[in-house]
Amino acid sequence: MNNFQESCFSVLVLLVLLLQGSCSDPGVVHKAVGDSLELIADYPTDGLEVQWTYNETVFAEFDEANINLVRPKLFHKRLKMKKDSISITVEDLELRDSGSFSIIANTNAVQYPTKIIMLHVHELIRDVQIEYSDSWLQSENICTFHLRCLASGDPNPSYSWSGHQIQTQGAYLNISLRPAESATLTCTANNTYSVKYTTETVVCREKSEGQRFCIKMNA
Ligand SMILES: *[C@@H]1O[C@H](CO)[C@@H](O)[C@H](O)[C@H]1NC(C)=O
Ligand SMILES: *[C@@H]1O[C@H](CO)[C@@H](O)[C@H](O)[C@H]1NC(C)=O
Ligand SMILES: *[C@@H]1O[C@H](CO)[C@@H](O)[C@H](O)[C@H]1NC(C)=O
């Protein structure tokens, strides 16, 4: 080869390497606890061999016509195999399933680009409630509400309050109202994956002459 041919050849090799590199870029996938992750090897089946790995450990293989579990303990009974679509589904995802999955496929003639899936499993915020206690401050003629926002599903979400010209972070909120005043407040709980909110109205109401009491009403 002369110099010109040589440099053309290396540019070509570089291009091929770059293209392969970009094809195997990891796809980041976010899922909630309890979701499923399907790992499909959608290639022509003739002479196909497939390996599925988790954190670089092979846990299943497809060979000729069957999918075999190599590490049956890894996802313990949470794997569903479909021979016709050559896919494995990890069901009922858990937080600890977060990690790197890959699908490596080839025939005698073709090595397909490896598919890499970076899985992040998150807790899902399921429900948000507002708990409260109240008190009547006779000397100042005000109702004080001590509100607490409480989410279930994720033990550590972010909380924020809004409404009644309030915009604040944190699970707790104190609010004082004069008689006959009311406030409609929304509490929001979020994590990186999900968000839920709930709204309540609190009212400072006169019960009878000279007697006040503080109540909460559903919005
Ligand atoms: C898999 O790798 C991820 C990220 O490196 C890690 O957080 C996770 O614990 C690993 N899973 C197992 C079962 O080793
Ligand atoms: C709300 O009031 C209670 C009792 O007065 C106090 O202990 C608490 O720190 C207050 N919380 C906020 C968020 O202001
Ligand atoms: C809630 O959302 C905010 C704003 O998008 C974000 O900064 C915060 O990290 C989220 N909270 C959690 C626990 O991920």
Side-chain angles (χ1 to χ4, degrees):
M1 265 197 261
N2 66 31
N3 269 351
F4 176 71
Q5 277 177 325
E6 226 165 47
S7 55
C8 268
F9 182 71
S10 15
V11 165
L12 198 67
V13 168
L14 194 65
L15 266 178
V16 168
L17 286 177
L18 280 174
L19 283 174
Q20 277 189 340
S22 67
C23 289
S24 60
D25 266 357
V28 177
V29 172
H30 294 271
K31 295 276 187 181
V33 169
D35 282 355
S36 305
L37 176 72
E38 188 172 27
L39 305 158
I40 308 178
D42 46 356
Y43 306 109
T45 49
D46 254 6
L48 185 68
E49 286 176 16
V50 183
Q51 290 187 317
W52 287 265
T53 74
Y54 172 67
N55 282 3
E56 277 150 40
T57 302
V58 176
F59 66 91
E61 288 177 333
F62 175 84
D63 197 352
E64 306 285 320
N66 290 304
I67 299 176
N68 299 307
L69 294 186
V70 183
R71 299 250 171 162
K73 280 194 183 143
L74 192 49
F75 296 102
H76 199 69
K77 291 183 181 156
R78 292 188 291 130
L79 296 181
K80 278 265 146 48
M81 278 99 59
K82 278 193 240 154
K83 276 194 289 186
D84 24 331
S85 55
I86 319 180
S87 82
I88 296 189
T89 301
V90 188
E91 298 188 317
D92 207 5
L93 288 170
E94 299 171 1
L95 286 181
R96 62 188 172 118
D97 297 335
S98 296
S100 147
F101 289 82
S102 65
I103 304 169
I104 305 161
N106 67 277
T107 65
N108 279 338
V110 193
Q111 175 71 54
Y112 294 105
T114 300
K115 287 186 198 169
I116 300 173
I117 294 131
M118 295 298 304
L119 176 70
H120 297 273
V121 184
H122 305 271
E123 298 270 19
L124 197 62
I125 294 171
R126 311 233 168 234
D127 189 36
V128 189
Q129 289 189 334
I130 295 174
E131 294 180 340
Y132 83 114
S133 65
D134 57 11
S135 52
W136 166 241
L137 215 65
Q138 184 96 46
S139 54
E140 296 182 40
N141 203 29
I142 52 169
C143 298
T144 301
F145 292 89
H146 305 277
L147 304 171
R148 182 192 182 191
C149 191
L150 193 60
S152 62
D154 184 334
N156 243 333
S158 302
Y159 291 105
S160 59
W161 288 95
S162 62
H164 201 68
Q165 285 151 0
I166 289 164
Q167 201 54 264
T168 172
Q169 304 290 313
Y172 295 91
L173 176 70
N174 293 337
I175 179 167
S176 296
L177 298 178
R178 305 231 149 258
E181 275 185 340
S182 68
T184 298
L185 298 156
T186 298
C187 166
T188 304
N190 78 286
N191 59 21
T192 48
Y193 187 75
S194 59
V195 56
K196 279 255 158 103
Y197 64 89
T198 187
T199 299
E200 301 268 12
T201 299
V202 290
V203 184
C204 182
R205 185 167 288 171
E206 190 166 9
K207 194 183 189 181
S208 59
E209 198 63 34
Q211 248 194 323
R212 312 250 180 239
F213 74 138
C214 313
I215 59 159
K216 185 186 78 158
M217 305 190 309
N218 279 333

